[in-house]
Amino acid sequence: MGAEPQLKFYNTLTREKVDFQPIDRDNVRMYVCGPTVYDFAHIGNARPAIVFDVLYRLLRQVYGESHVTYVRNITDVDDKINARALRDHPGLPLNQAIRLVTEKTETQYFRDTAALGCLEPTAQPRATENIAEMIEIIEKLIAKGHAYQAAGEVLFDTKSMNDYGQLSKRNLDEQQAGARIAVDAHKKSPGDFVLWKLSADNEPGWESPWGRGRPGWHIECSAMSGRYLGDVFDIHGGGLDLIFPHHENEIAQSRCAHGTHAMANVWMHNGFLQVEGRKMSKSEGNFVTIYELLQTEKLGGRTWPGEVLRLAMLMTHYREPIDFSVKRLEEAERLLAKWPAADAGNAAPDATVLAALADDLNTVAAIQAVHALAQAANADANALPVYAASAALLGLLPQKVEMDDAIVADIDRRVRARLELLKAKNFAEADRARDELLAEGIQLKDGKDPATGERITTWEVKR
Ligand SMILES: [Zn+2]
């Protein structure tokens, strides 16, 4: 690895940037909250997928590819899913309808994140495949006096934890002062949250010591992170909107069940995302899914390549708010067009790029440095390997397009024919031939052969 930079990350738990020290350098462990699969992922959901993919790549670069475990869950049991299943498949038994909704949404999520250049996490566990682990944690919480049963639910007793609220810096009294008149009279305190609730006959449910029921959302992440990463792991990530109550409650469950001082040592949160200057919402008409950006003409009257979306996202530091706009996408596209295609080789990435990412994922500085490397590589092919390794670290290396020999021969023939037109000063026809090729993604570059001084034209495939 050579001289590795000291990684520093902003830890939401302590509100400061800290040197990162993994618990075990041979297995650096990261958990990120994944999608609830009831609807296609929107562009706001793309942000944590991309941001934490860059972090995953950085950790693999520093500690070695086989020494990082990245887990991102799939929430496939949720009342939003039930509602969607009833709406979309009213004629089917609910379980069957639910499966149709979750399978379709999950498949699209995998397609979306792949198109955005995200590596597959080490594991993508589904909540429904970890119910036994959830029941086990809830049993521990009850046994240790941190949870109680009331009105068909098992609830976490927030008052039973001395330092509940550490992550969001809310204390319980403040929360209670602000809480509305107790709607949930069965709760000991208004902040108590559901670990398990009974299911009606037609709702999805699993047998448990408290009857046939289903888990609350927060307990899913405690169970899956614990199973794959252990009681205490290195990094927990997600969007800013998850700090409270989701992450706060994950911490409460995991720490109280396992009797540990921490659930994860570092908590990292990406900032909010707006679209065209406004909070994204269906009523504002600016709600846009990743699928719509990639495949339809919803934003800016055209489709956008995944790598353009990715670069547009990384042009802002992950903790800052983003205004996602057509202007920003166009800017990203112009920049990316100047980056040469290459294959990732064995070269080490540039130290400036690595140092920028090591400093709390400063992708803005890293992109600037990669752009300078791209320009150097355009001028001198010897600079290509370091540029390629650096761009790949951001997941933004344009790939060489594999082309059929017959297609290459055809393009060569048309490029030569246009050159003849130029020599014959038939500029109108020559321009038309150039534009036709460009429309097919073939860009021409006219020049002179340095040895003979003869006019030549080279071409390359643009994305
Ligand atoms: Zn979670």
Side-chain angles (χ1 to χ4, degrees), residues 31-34 73 75 217-218 220-222 236-237 242 246-247 250 263 267:
Y31 185 90
V32 174
C33 297
N73 70 294
T75 293
W217 173 34
H218 315 307
E220 299 180 9
C221 287
S222 284
H236 193 311
L242 296 184
H246 185 55
H247 288 168
E250 280 188 36
M263 175 187 186
W267 287 78

Side-chain angles (χ1 to χ4, degrees), residues 146-174:
H146 292 292
Y148 59 96
Q149 266 183 281
E153 293 179 342
V154 181
L155 294 144
F156 186 91
D157 183 353
T158 45
K159 277 272 166 74
S160 74
M161 184 185 189
N162 297 332
D163 54 354
Y164 178 85
Q166 225 184 19
L167 182 71
S168 59
K169 309 284 185 242
R170 295 172 179 226
N171 72 47
L172 276 175
D173 293 334
E174 271 172 34

Side-chain angles (χ1 to χ4, degrees), residues 32-75:
V32 174
C33 297
T36 299
V37 286
Y38 71 101
D39 201 357
F40 284 7
H42 58 67
I43 187 64
N45 304 132
R47 196 172 188 193
I50 294 169
V51 162
F52 292 106
D53 178 70
V54 173
L55 177 55
Y56 181 40
R57 287 169 187 265
L58 174 66
L59 294 171
R60 281 157 55 103
Q61 175 64 38
V62 171
Y63 297 100
E65 284 189 10
S66 57
H67 298 294
V68 184
T69 306
Y70 171 23
V71 177
R72 186 179 61 207
N73 70 294
I74 301 277
T75 293

